[in-house]
C-alpha cells in the first residue's frame, strides 16, 4: 500500500550550543502508494516509472512493486552528477532519485544525516517478513578523491498540500457520535464522549524544529498525525469506541489507519488499517445512504473483546497489557489517526484544519454509590 524514503537531519553540533537531536525531515519523501479504489501514485523514480518531475506524483492503475531504484543524496552538485554518471554506466535505465542537501544551520560544524524507510500494509505478510529480514538495499558513501569547488543545490520547494474539506460532513458525524452514545446508554452503561482537541501544528515543515533546537521526532509530510483524546483501559470491563472519518474514502489519503499509542513511551501498540474498518459505520447510520455512511468508521477497543459486549457487526480490537508492544493496565492510551498521501496534486499529506478529527466514546460501568452497597 505504501513505500517511502525520507532524508533526515538526525543531529547537529554547534560550538556554542553543543549537540542536539533534531530528527527533522529535509524535504518531501520519495514515495509510492496504492489503493484498490483509486489506483497508484509515485514520486519515486524506478526502472518502471522513470523521469518523474520533482514535486509531481505520477498516476497509474497499478503500483510498480518489485521495481529497482537508486537514491543519491549529496551537498555538491558536481559530486552528485558524477555519481549519477557512474551509475548510468553500470545500470542504464535505473530510476534515479536525487536530493540536494542544504546546510541546516550556518553555525553547525558537524551534522549527522539519516534515511528512514517506511512501508505499510504488505499484501503477503510472509513475503514481507522475508524482505524485512534481508532487505535488498545497499548504502554506499562516496568521497571525491580531490577537493571540489563549492557548487550547492538550490533549496528544493516543498509540495503544496491539497485537501478535500471534510467539514461539510460534520452534521452526519455528530449524528454518528450520538448513535454510539445512545447505544452505550441502552446497554446500562455510562457514556463519556471526548472530542479531539485542535491540533497544534505551528509549521508545515521541520525548519522551525531545527532553528529552535526541538526534536521533530521523525516528522513526515506524507501525512499528518492527528491526536485524539487520552483514555485508559484498566481492566477487562473497560471499553471505548473510536468514531471518525475514513480519510481514504474522502480522498484525503491513499492509505490511512488509526493507531493506539502508549504516550509515556511514544510506542505504537497496534494499528487498524482503513480497509479493516471500511463500511463499519453503516449499522450506526441506518437513515443515511451507504455511500455516505462509508465515509465514516466506528471501532471498539477493549482489553479482551471476548469479555465485552459490542454490536455484532462492529469490529472490536483487543489491546495487550503485557509483552511487546503493549500498554500497562494503569497507563494512559492515546489514539492517533495517520492519513497518508491525498489523491490530489503531489500526493503529500492533508491539512488537519480541513479534516474532521475523531471522537472517543468511553463505555463505563455505572458507578455504585457507597451507601447503596449496604442494601
Amino acid at each position: 500500500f505504501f513505500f517511502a524514503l525520507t532524508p533526515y537531519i538526525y543531529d547537529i553540533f554547534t560550538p556554542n550550543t553543543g549537540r542536539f537531536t533534531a530528527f527533522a525531515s529535509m524535504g518531501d519523501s520519495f514515495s509510492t502508494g496504492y489503493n484498490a479504489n483509486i489506483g497508484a501514485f509515485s514520486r519515486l523514480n524506478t526502472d518502471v516509472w522513470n523521469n518523474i518531475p520533482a514535486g509531481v506524483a505520477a498516476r497509474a492503475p497499478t503500483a510498480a512493486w518489485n521495481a529497482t531504484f537508486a537514491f543519491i543524496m549529496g551537498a555538491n552538485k558536481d559530486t552528485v552528477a558524477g555519481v549519477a554518471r557512474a551509475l548510468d554506466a553500470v545500470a542504464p535505465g535505473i530510476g534515479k532519485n536525487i536530493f540536494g542537501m542544504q546546510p541546516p544551520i550556518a553555525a553547525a560544524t558537524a551534522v549527522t544525516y539519516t534515511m528512514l524507510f517506511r512501508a505499510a500494509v504488505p499484501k503477503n505478510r510472509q513475503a514481507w517478513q522475508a524482505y524485512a529480514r534481508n532487505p535488498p538495499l545497499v548504502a554506499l558513501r562516496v568521497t571525491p578523491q580531490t577537493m571540489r569547488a563549492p557548487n550547492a543545490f538550490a533549496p528544493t520547494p516543498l509540495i503544496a498540500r491539497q485537501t478535500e474539506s471534510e467539514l461539510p460532513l460534520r452534521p452526519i458525524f455528530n449524528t454518528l457520535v450520538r448513535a454510539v452514545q445512545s447505544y452505550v446508554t441502552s446497554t446500562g452503561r455510562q457514556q463519556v464522549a471526548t472530542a479531539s482537541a485542535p491540533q497544534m501544528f505551528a509549521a508545515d515543515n521541520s525548519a522551525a524544529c531545527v532553528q529552535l533546537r526541538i526534536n521533530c521526532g521523525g516528522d513526515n509530510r506524507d501525512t499528518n498525525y492527528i491526536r485524539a483524546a487520552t483514555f485508559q483501559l484498566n481492566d477487562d470491563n473497560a471499553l471505548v469506541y473510536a468514531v471518525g472519518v475514513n480519510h481514504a474514502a474522502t480522498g484525503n489519503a491513499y492509505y490511512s489507519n488509526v493507531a493506539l499509542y502508549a504516550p509515556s513511551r511514544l510506542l505504537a501498540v497496534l494499528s487498524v488499517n482503513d480497509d479493516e474498518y471500511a463500511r463499519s459505520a453503516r449499522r450506526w447510520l441506518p437513515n443515511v445512504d451507504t455511500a455516505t455512511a462509508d465515509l465514516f468508521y466506528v471501532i471498539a477497543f477493549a482489553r479482551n473483546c471476548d469479555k465485552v459486549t459490542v454490536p455484532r457487526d462492529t469490529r472490536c480490537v483487543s489491546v495487550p497489557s503485557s509483552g511487546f508492544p503493549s500498554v500497562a493496565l494503569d497507563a494512559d492510551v492515546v489514539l492517533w489517526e495517520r492519513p497518508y498521501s491525498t489523491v490530489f496534486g503531489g500526493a503529500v499529506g492533508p491539512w488537519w484544519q480541513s479534516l474532521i478529527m475523531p471522537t472517543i466514546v468511553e463505555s463505563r460501568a455505572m458507578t455504585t454509590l457507597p451507601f447503596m452497597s449496604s442494601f
Side-chain angles (χ1 to χ4, degrees):
F1 276 7
F2 185 79
F3 177 99
L5 295 168
T6 312
Y8 286 89
I9 299 167
Y10 188 71
D11 61 25
I12 301 171
F13 178 86
T14 65
N16 293 333
T17 58
R19 185 179 301 278
F20 76 97
T21 299
F23 203 2
S25 65
M26 298 170 64
D28 290 305
S29 300
F30 293 75
S31 56
T32 186
Y34 173 73
N35 182 304
N37 298 317
I38 303 168
F41 82 93
S42 185
R43 297 196 308 272
L44 180 73
N45 284 297
T46 67
D47 58 348
V48 177
W49 286 2
N50 210 339
N51 299 315
I52 302 171
V56 173
R59 315 280 176 171
T62 58
W65 304 127
N66 300 314
T68 58
F69 66 88
F71 187 91
I72 307 171
M73 184 170 74
N76 186 292
K77 293 172 69 174
D78 295 328
T79 301
V80 168
V83 172
R85 288 192 299 271
L87 187 63
D88 283 335
V90 297
I94 192 171
K96 295 187 295 298
N97 302 271
I98 294 175
F99 184 81
M101 298 158 54
Q102 301 292 310
I105 297 176
T109 56
V111 181
T112 303
Y113 299 94
T114 190
M115 179 78 69
L116 198 62
F117 158 52
R118 289 182 173 89
V121 200
K123 185 176 182 180
N124 184 312
R125 186 167 295 277
Q126 287 72 32
W128 163 249
Q129 290 172 345
Y131 180 97
R133 284 193 296 269
N134 188 25
L137 301 173
V138 177
L140 301 173
R141 176 173 177 172
V142 179
T143 303
Q145 294 180 340
T146 59
M147 184 68 68
R148 292 183 180 270
N151 191 2
F153 283 89
T156 302
L158 295 174
I159 299 171
R161 295 184 189 267
Q162 297 184 40
T163 311
E164 179 72 20
S165 178
E166 297 172 353
L167 303 184
L169 298 173
R170 174 65 67 181
I172 301 176
F173 177 76
N174 291 342
T175 298
L176 178 59
V177 172
R178 288 193 295 268
V180 176
Q181 291 175 293
S182 296
Y183 173 79
V184 172
T185 302
S186 73
T187 63
R189 294 168 67 91
Q190 179 186 13
Q191 66 81 22
V192 178
T194 308
S196 300
Q199 310 298 297
M200 299 302 292
F201 300 131
D204 184 36
N205 59 70
S206 62
C209 296
V210 174
Q211 297 299 324
L212 297 174
R213 299 173 57 84
I214 299 171
N215 188 332
C216 272
D219 64 295
N220 175 18
R221 294 190 76 249
D222 271 353
T223 187
N224 253 323
Y225 297 101
I226 310 299
R227 178 170 179 154
T230 299
F231 55 91
Q232 288 193 342
L233 295 169
N234 48 22
D235 56 37
D236 284 347
N237 194 41
L239 173 64
V240 302
Y241 292 88
V243 185
V245 170
N246 183 345
H247 305 300
T250 64
N252 284 321
Y254 267 86
Y255 150 69
S256 186
N257 67 24
V258 298
L260 295 192
Y261 278 74
S264 62
R265 295 185 287 167
L266 293 177
L267 175 68
V269 177
L270 58 85
S271 64
V272 185
N273 301 315
D274 61 79
D275 60 339
E276 298 177 287
Y277 54 72
R279 300 177 293 280
S280 61
R282 289 184 181 184
R283 65 95 54 213
W284 301 95
L285 295 170
N287 298 320
V288 175
D289 64 272
T290 56
T292 302
D294 289 347
L295 300 177
F296 305 89
Y297 70 81
V298 178
I299 312 170
F301 294 97
R303 287 297 181 177
N304 186 337
C305 288
D306 292 334
K307 296 185 177 182
V308 295
T309 301
V310 300
R312 186 168 52 185
D313 48 1
T314 295
R315 182 181 180 87
C316 182
V317 180
S318 296
V319 182
S321 58
S322 60
F324 183 86
S326 64
V327 57
L329 291 174
D330 60 350
D332 286 342
V333 184
V334 64
L335 181 141
W336 290 78
E337 287 185 338
R338 304 184 295 197
Y340 278 83
S341 299
T342 74
V343 303
F344 314 108
V348 292
W351 279 117
W352 68 265
Q353 294 95 329
S354 298
L355 304 181
I356 292 179
M357 291 174 286
T359 289
I360 298 298
V361 179
E362 297 181 65
S363 174
R364 299 177 179 176
M366 287 293 187
T367 302
T368 302
L369 296 177
F371 75 88
M372 296 179 63
S373 61
S374 60
F375 289 86

